[in-house]
Amino acid sequence: MTAGVEALRTPSVRDQVSAEEWQARLDLAACYRLAARWGWTDHIYTHFSARVPGKEEHFLINAYGLTFPEVTASNLVKVDLAGNLLLDITGRGHNPAGYVIHSAVHAARPDLKAVLHTHTTAGAAVSAQRDGLLMISQHAARYYGRIAYHAFEGFALNLDEQQRLVRDLGDRRVMILRNHGLLAAGRSVGEALQELYFLERACAIQIAALAGGVPLVAPDEAALRQASETYARASGGSYTTRNWEAFVRELDAVDTSYRQ
């Protein structure tokens, strides 16, 4: 290739970012594609984000208008906490509501590297139930004493809501957004997905159990506490790593296009 042609070549996103950022992009894109496979999408209206390693004030999020199956490592948008676009090969920008929610958590909780938000039928249904998540399954028991709630304030477009969202989340990693959906965060993309996976399952189980129309049985508090503490101790270690690696193998077996 001549020097002139080389000079005209547009660098790929992979060429423009660090190896650590590229890995974060791969992980987050995989997360989007897994969510699509599991039916967690709401067309173009929900969002997952991840911090850029080494640039804690920057995070990655989906381009506004792309569906989850269209997300790739390269087309994720990089934005800073002030909302400035830093890298966006699609030219689509980011969802304003996504920015409000995700920037609030990333700014307030430096321990959390990824934030995932869904509007699934089961999650939104539980968010509208007065008692929230019921401790009626092993999946739900993981969140005993660990779940936060945030009241619905309309579409998340008001920056003033950020302080209340952060206040309600506190030091927890999972939250039910009333009349809206679910939010889960983690110290890695894998941990955030693990949190959301079991929370989504707990909500689906709850809706199915309530639909049965018969009285429900709930474990006693000692059993719930044991389950929650066991899960909390294991989360973030080899248990989370094995879970994440299995998720990625599941995805790679059918589609690797997210790696582009």
Side-chain angles (χ1 to χ4, degrees), residues 231-249:
Y231 178 61
R233 284 195 302 270
S235 191
S238 62
Y239 171 61
T240 297
T241 299
R242 291 179 184 185
N243 201 169
W244 172 245
E245 289 175 348
F247 282 149
V248 173
R249 289 196 307 274

Side-chain angles (χ1 to χ4, degrees), residues 41 108 115 122 144 157 171-172 184-185 225 228 241 246:
T41 66
V115 181
Y144 178 73
L157 301 173
D171 62 356
R172 298 178 180 184
R225 189 177 302 110
S228 179
T241 299

Side-chain angles (χ1 to χ4, degrees), residues 11-257:
S12 68
V13 170
R14 189 168 187 174
D15 294 333
Q16 300 178 60
V17 303
S18 67
E20 293 77 14
E21 178 177 333
W22 183 251
Q23 186 59 55
R25 286 174 170 273
L26 289 173
D27 291 346
L28 187 59
C31 200
Y32 274 101
R33 296 298 191 91
L34 286 163
R37 284 180 54 78
W38 297 332
W40 290 0
T41 66
D42 190 8
H43 199 43
I44 64 170
Y45 298 108
T46 50
H47 16 80
F48 296 170
S49 66
R51 286 186 193 276
V52 175
K55 296 285 187 179
E56 299 300 296
E57 72 280 11
H58 300 165
F59 64 94
L60 306 169
I61 196 166
N62 52 324
Y64 191 23
L66 295 186
T67 61
F68 280 26
E70 295 176 300
V71 172
T72 68
S74 293
N75 67 32
L76 286 163
V77 173
K78 181 160 60 175
V79 63
D80 66 17
L81 292 176
N84 299 306
L85 287 171
L86 305 176
L87 184 57
D88 175 17
I89 67 168
T90 70
R92 294 174 178 270
H94 54 80
N95 185 324
Y99 165 72
V100 169
I101 293 171
H102 291 259
S103 65
V105 178
H106 285 303
R109 294 285 304 276
D111 58 312
L112 300 177
K113 307 304 182 186
V115 181
L116 315 181
H117 170 51
T118 55
H119 298 163
T120 60
T121 300
V126 169
S127 80
Q129 294 180 339
R130 184 192 61 191
D131 295 328
L133 186 66
L134 302 178
M135 297 294 115
I136 58 171
S137 69
Q138 178 171 274
H139 287 70
R142 296 168 187 267
Y143 304 104
Y144 178 73
R146 298 182 54 240
I147 195 156
Y149 292 86
H150 175 65
F152 184 62
E153 299 187 24
F155 291 114
L157 301 173
N158 186 350
L159 289 175
D160 289 343
E161 186 178 353
Q162 290 184 314
Q163 60 184 329
R164 293 180 291 279
L165 189 149
V166 167
R167 176 202 66 200
D168 293 340
L169 180 62
D171 62 356
R172 298 178 180 184
R173 296 201 296 266
V174 290
M175 182 159 66
I176 290 179
L177 306 175
R178 288 292 193 181
N179 311 101
H180 184 174
L182 306 178
L183 183 144
R187 293 162 291 186
S188 66
V189 171
E191 184 176 66
L193 185 61
Q194 180 176 273
E195 293 278 22
L196 186 58
Y197 179 84
F198 289 113
L199 183 58
E200 287 282 3
R201 293 285 296 129
C203 289
I205 290 167
Q206 177 169 322
I207 297 304
L210 291 173
V214 298
L216 303 179
V217 175
D220 62 36
E221 289 199 16
L224 292 171
R225 189 177 302 110
Q226 187 272 349
S228 179
E229 290 174 354
T230 299
Y231 178 61
R233 284 195 302 270
S235 191
S238 62
Y239 171 61
T240 297
T241 299
R242 291 179 184 185
N243 201 169
W244 172 245
E245 289 175 348
F247 282 149
V248 173
R249 289 196 307 274
E250 176 186 344
L251 178 59
D252 282 344
V254 295
D255 184 8
T256 60
S257 63

